[in-house]
Amino acid sequence: MNLISHKAFKNIAYLFSCAIFFILTSCEEDLTKLNGNDNKNFPSQVIHNAVIIQRDSGFITLRATAPIIEKYELIDSQYTVARKGMRIEFFDKKKPKNPGNITANFAKIYDYKKFYEARGNVKILTSEGQRFATQSVFWDQNKKRIYTRDTVYATMEDGSTMVHANGMTAKDDFSEYKFFNNSGDLDVSKTQIAQPRP
């Protein structure tokens, strides 16, 4: 009788330990499934007082500075975020000492696509001295296009100011740009008007 109860006790202990093992394993698997995506979406690098420089054949084409940059590199679509603002200077080979710049309160860079997103108090100064202010700007560096659908306030070299209620699209060097739904104050005395030939 002692032998039977001893075997029964061993079997119960064995079954109990197997049950605990399977419960713990299944809980662990569920946690992995639940948190699998979250575990990868954290910055792999955090850079304070960051400076990013892009070069083309030794020539600096872009210099970006930010108080803090977070790089997300452990996911398929890698990106970089500047939550405390960013300043991007873009250089033209024709005027290397007179770069244009973009400043914003927030910036996001999609590294692989070379696509930039700037939001919050966005200000653009071109190398020609034109100034643009808006709330968001998107820059597709591969297509060399900048665009926004927000209202754009544009101040030209001559001091005239225009309001473009439905945004703009432009080449990234601002050699060409197009505004939508325009209104504003144009100082005609500073504008060159075509004169008829004598």
Side-chain angles (χ1 to χ4, degrees):
M1 187 141 180
N2 283 342
L3 186 62
I4 293 171
S5 63
H6 185 64
K7 280 185 181 179
F9 178 74
K10 276 187 174 180
N11 288 339
I12 290 170
Y14 174 75
L15 289 173
F16 185 69
S17 60
C18 285
I20 288 174
F21 172 77
F22 285 117
I23 288 170
L24 289 175
T25 305
S26 64
C27 287
E28 193 173 307
E29 285 175 8
D30 288 342
L31 287 173
T32 304
K33 287 176 188 174
L34 287 173
N35 296 329
N37 292 336
D38 294 340
N39 285 343
K40 294 179 182 177
N41 199 15
F42 60 87
S44 56
Q45 293 183 47
V46 178
I47 306 163
H48 295 272
N49 300 317
V51 178
I52 299 171
I53 294 175
Q54 279 186 6
R55 295 177 191 268
D56 181 10
S57 303
F59 176 76
I60 295 175
T61 56
L62 179 145
R63 179 169 51 217
T65 56
I68 186 167
I69 283 180
E70 298 171 341
K71 292 182 75 67
Y72 291 79
E73 300 172 304
L74 304 176
I75 54 177
D76 292 337
S77 298
Q78 298 178 6
Y79 62 92
T80 303
V81 176
R83 298 182 197 282
K84 294 188 176 180
M86 179 177 267
R87 175 187 173 90
I88 299 174
E89 290 179 295
F90 43 93
F91 296 83
D92 185 351
K93 287 184 179 179
K94 296 172 188 173
K95 296 183 177 180
K97 294 184 179 179
N98 194 23
N101 65 68
I102 299 174
T103 58
N105 293 342
F106 171 88
K108 189 171 185 179
I109 303 167
Y110 298 89
D111 300 333
Y112 177 71
K113 296 178 182 178
K114 290 190 175 178
F115 189 85
Y116 296 72
E117 173 186 339
R119 295 189 179 275
N121 198 25
V122 179
K123 293 180 181 173
I124 302 169
L125 172 66
T126 71
S127 57
E128 301 294 329
Q130 301 156 318
R131 297 177 182 273
F132 304 93
T134 186
Q135 284 305 306
S136 70
V137 161
F138 303 93
W139 178 19
D140 188 332
Q141 196 175 12
N142 286 329
K143 293 181 179 177
K144 299 185 175 182
R145 301 296 299 177
I146 289 177
Y147 62 90
T148 182
R149 292 288 173 232
D150 288 337
T151 300
V152 178
Y153 299 89
T155 305
M156 299 298 121
E157 284 180 280
D158 64 3
S160 61
T161 302
M162 297 288 286
V163 178
H164 312 284
N166 291 329
M168 69 177 282
T169 181
K171 280 190 174 179
D172 62 1
D173 63 357
F174 286 90
S175 59
E176 292 177 17
Y177 45 85
K178 182 178 179 181
F179 298 108
F180 306 103
N181 197 4
N182 306 324
S183 66
D185 176 22
L186 182 64
D187 187 348
V188 180
S189 66
K190 296 180 181 178
T191 306
Q192 293 181 354
I193 300 173
Q195 300 292 326
R197 288 188 175 188

